[in-house]
Amino acid sequence: MSRFLKFTLVAGLTISATATAVWSGEYGLGRPALPEEVAAWDVNVMPDGRGLPEGSGDVWTGEQVFIENCAVCHGDFAEGVGNWPKLAGGEGTLANEDPLKTVGSYWPHLSTVWDYVNRSMPFGNAQSLSPDDVYAITAYILYSNFLVEDDFVLSHENFAEFEMPNADGFIVDDRAETEYATWHGEPCMENCKDSVEITMRAAVLDVTPEEAGTEAEEAAAPAAEEPPVEVAAAEPETAAAPDPELVAAGEKVFRQCKACHMVGEGAKNRVGPQLNGVTNRAAGAVDGFKYSSALQDMAADGLVWNEENLAAFLADPRGFMNGTRMGFGGLRSDEDIAAITAYLSTFGE
């Protein structure tokens, strides 16, 4: 009489198999997968749009979904939090010694963004997003990189039409054919160094999270005691140097802004414009920066970044300027607003 073995699977399914020999290559287990089961695992998305599900998403919906699901790691406007990846910025930096590789500056195919978000995000709750959510998030990431306007809608129909800036920045890896043969043979063990020396620290490479009061941070911080370069002659009360303690507090608050805005010597435009001389400056006046249509409209109406307007904008950017590209939700504390205003006032043109 044949003996039987029983295997109980996690799902509760019991499979019986005889202990007698089976034909080579056949195990008597399972069944062919159904077409719908294969389709459920076939989630590849190709650069030409193959594999995309039907759906669509706009920039502003994407912002809401992104803030709810992604901002804890990537920031409200894709600028990155701590050492979590930056998804926006880096335009024109790939040839630099320290390039910023983001979706906008480096990724060659939009399908990679959609596919990765769809498979793996949000962190800790992967594949919880609907196709429409993924389209919206992808549209918002494009918007955060200034690659689309705020009324852009991404869908399965126009997906393949969008070309990423670095689409031509990659080449076929042919090293297996052209180089691997030269790597074989005995390794060279001549002229080796006598000792190993540390030539760079992680903090200098900017791969270590910043800590308040570190030597690197203090060395990089602009001098808070420098008086403003320019003051308004009609308002003599602004000529006095701001309270040093308030400026120091403002420098700490400004850490929330550093991912997108630069101040001090050599400041350049990033995701947002550089802010040297912003106090009492006409809005939209920084050369070379592409402002949102909302800001351009208010600038045409004579908006000036005086203390009152700057405070109102910092408290509620969207409420002050409907349609602004600045995704930051605003500062909740009047003390923080006063401090960062004092800090910015120390930087002239």
Side-chain angles (χ1 to χ4, degrees):
M1 183 175 180
S2 298
R3 299 180 60 188
F4 289 84
L5 301 178
K6 286 190 175 181
F7 303 92
T8 302
L9 305 182
V10 175
L13 177 65
T14 301
I15 300 175
S16 297
T18 65
T20 58
V22 295
W23 294 105
S24 176
E26 298 179 5
Y27 301 97
L29 300 176
R31 57 170 174 76
L34 299 175
E36 55 269 27
E37 293 172 329
V38 174
W41 284 94
D42 186 11
V43 295
N44 286 341
V45 177
M46 306 303 291
D48 60 4
R50 283 177 294 164
L52 282 170
E54 294 187 2
S56 64
D58 63 88
V59 168
W60 296 120
T61 300
E63 180 190 36
Q64 297 172 4
V65 180
F66 188 92
I67 290 175
E68 292 172 0
N69 295 276
C70 316
V72 64
C73 296
H74 299 292
D76 285 350
F77 33 101
E79 81 283 7
V81 174
N83 274 343
W84 292 101
K86 296 176 174 62
L87 304 181
E91 180 182 0
T93 69
L94 295 186
N96 295 356
E97 182 179 352
D98 185 22
L100 176 57
K101 297 180 179 180
T102 70
V103 171
S105 69
Y106 182 70
W107 291 31
H109 303 300
L110 188 60
S111 56
T112 309
V113 183
W114 202 100
D115 192 43
Y116 187 82
V117 173
N118 185 50
R119 288 173 183 258
S120 306
M121 295 291 112
F123 183 69
N125 194 22
Q127 300 184 21
S128 62
L129 300 169
S130 70
D132 286 347
D133 288 340
V134 180
Y135 279 111
I137 287 176
T138 305
Y140 180 65
I141 292 174
L142 292 177
Y143 173 76
S144 298
N145 282 278
F146 302 118
L147 299 178
V148 298
E149 297 297 328
D150 55 11
D151 59 353
F152 178 72
V153 179
L154 181 66
S155 71
H156 65 283
E157 296 176 338
N158 66 357
F159 192 94
E161 300 172 6
F162 193 90
E163 184 172 339
M164 299 293 281
N166 199 39
D168 297 328
F170 287 76
I171 60 175
V172 175
D173 185 357
D174 62 353
R175 288 175 294 179
E177 295 78 21
T178 61
E179 298 182 20
Y180 286 3
T182 65
W183 297 349
H184 295 285
E186 293 297 323
C188 171
M189 300 300 292
E190 299 179 359
N191 301 320
C192 300
K193 289 186 175 181
D194 295 330
S195 61
V196 176
E197 299 178 358
I198 297 175
T199 60
M200 188 71 72
R201 299 284 182 179
V204 179
L205 288 171
D206 194 26
V207 294
T208 302
E210 294 184 356
E211 296 288 345
T214 63
E215 293 182 3
E217 186 179 45
E218 292 172 358
E225 66 273 7
E226 294 181 2
V229 173
E230 296 181 2
V231 295
E235 298 178 4
E237 66 274 10
T238 64
D243 180 0
E245 292 186 4
L246 193 61
V247 170
E251 182 180 358
K252 294 180 180 179
V253 178
F254 190 74
R255 291 173 185 170
Q256 303 177 53
C257 317
K258 289 172 65 175
C260 294
H261 297 282
M262 294 182 69
V263 291
E265 184 178 355
K268 299 178 180 179
N269 296 329
R270 287 183 170 176
V271 176
Q274 58 87 4
L275 298 180
N276 287 345
V278 67
T279 305
N280 293 320
R281 182 173 67 198
V286 175
D287 292 337
F289 185 77
K290 184 180 179 182
Y291 289 98
S292 67
S293 56
L295 191 142
Q296 292 180 47
D297 290 342
M298 294 188 72
D301 291 336
L303 175 64
V304 174
W305 292 123
N306 56 29
E307 184 175 342
E308 180 181 358
N309 288 333
L310 194 57
F313 182 72
L314 290 173
D316 184 9
R318 286 288 163 79
F320 182 86
M321 185 181 297
N322 185 27
T324 178
R325 281 179 175 163
M326 189 163 121
F328 181 62
L331 297 171
R332 299 291 177 260
S333 165
D334 291 340
E335 290 78 9
D336 285 349
I337 293 173
I340 200 170
T341 301
Y343 176 67
L344 292 175
S345 71
T346 64
F347 298 95
E349 294 287 355

